[in-house]
Amino acid sequence: MHVPKLSTVSPAWLQWAVDFGRDSPWRGVFGADGVPVPARLDALLDAEGVDAALLFAEYSPRTTGIQPVEDLLPLIAHNPGRFRLVANVNPELHQPAVAEAERQLGLGAVALKIHPVHGGFRPVRDDMYEVYQLCAERGVPVIVHTGGSIFPGSDPGAGDPGLMSEAVADFPGVQFVLAHGGRGQWYADAARMALAHANVWFDLAGLPPKRLPDYYAGFDFTQLARKWIFGTDWPGVPGVAANVRAVAALGLPAEVLDDVLSGNAYRLYFGQEARS
């Protein structure tokens, strides 16, 4: 989930939220000053049946804006049982990147996300390898934006999941999550990576569930679903519960569906089994 202070995001981000979240009451989470109100977000997710939500920071001044990690701390303090922090580093902005990653992990982040497409960098470079080494030492998963982006100023080529192949091989102890499942031209590449490597997964954020059989045609759908992690890319989504129902309608075996909706995420991000 993206729950920034609205004053920190770009006009394109705001338009994205309006366009893709038009059927969601997301705007009511924010006060008149554009600051998210913890109790409102908590109540919305309670109504949507959400047990745990990952809150994303982002440092991408050329595309979506700078959404500081510190702005998320009041939300997490309000309900640390539901809200969890995800760190974000941009090596074009943070020097050294590993120091910033360590600082944000020290704030309690359960994962690290990198955004090469919005940040304008390639994910395999020496300073990012230092970050992956830190994550390996801490047992922290790394989420990587894959696929293109609609935001002006983005670098679509940086969304190629194949760019992560070297890091995946070099850090077998790090769990890598390909955000958006290679959205666009790389659906098949992301699927092959997830099936070929025990430490590669992908999330469903930003992907309409009913389109998943088309996006991943040619693959064993149930086998591939075992590597999925449910996500929404809120607020750019009709609704969390609506997407859950749409995933449930895909006809997956019950135990696979349970893992998609909760089990895989709890094990990867929290090191525990999902609540029954």
Side-chain angles (χ1 to χ4, degrees), residues 111-168:
L112 171 77
K113 184 173 184 182
I114 61 171
H115 232 305
V117 170
H118 291 167
F121 62 90
R122 291 300 185 265
V124 179
R125 41 190 276 178
D126 289 346
D127 52 0
M128 289 307 298
Y129 255 54
E130 294 176 355
V131 173
Y132 304 145
Q133 181 59 44
L134 173 67
C135 290
E137 294 168 357
R138 300 284 185 89
V140 173
V142 175
I143 306 169
V144 187
H145 176 108
T146 58
S149 172
I150 64 171
F151 293 109
S154 62
D155 179 3
D160 181 351
L163 296 174
M164 292 301 301
S165 296
E166 183 179 333
V168 165

Side-chain angles (χ1 to χ4, degrees), residues 39 64 71 73 183 193 261:
T64 59
D71 289 352
L73 298 182
R183 183 171 53 198
M193 285 183 67
L261 296 179

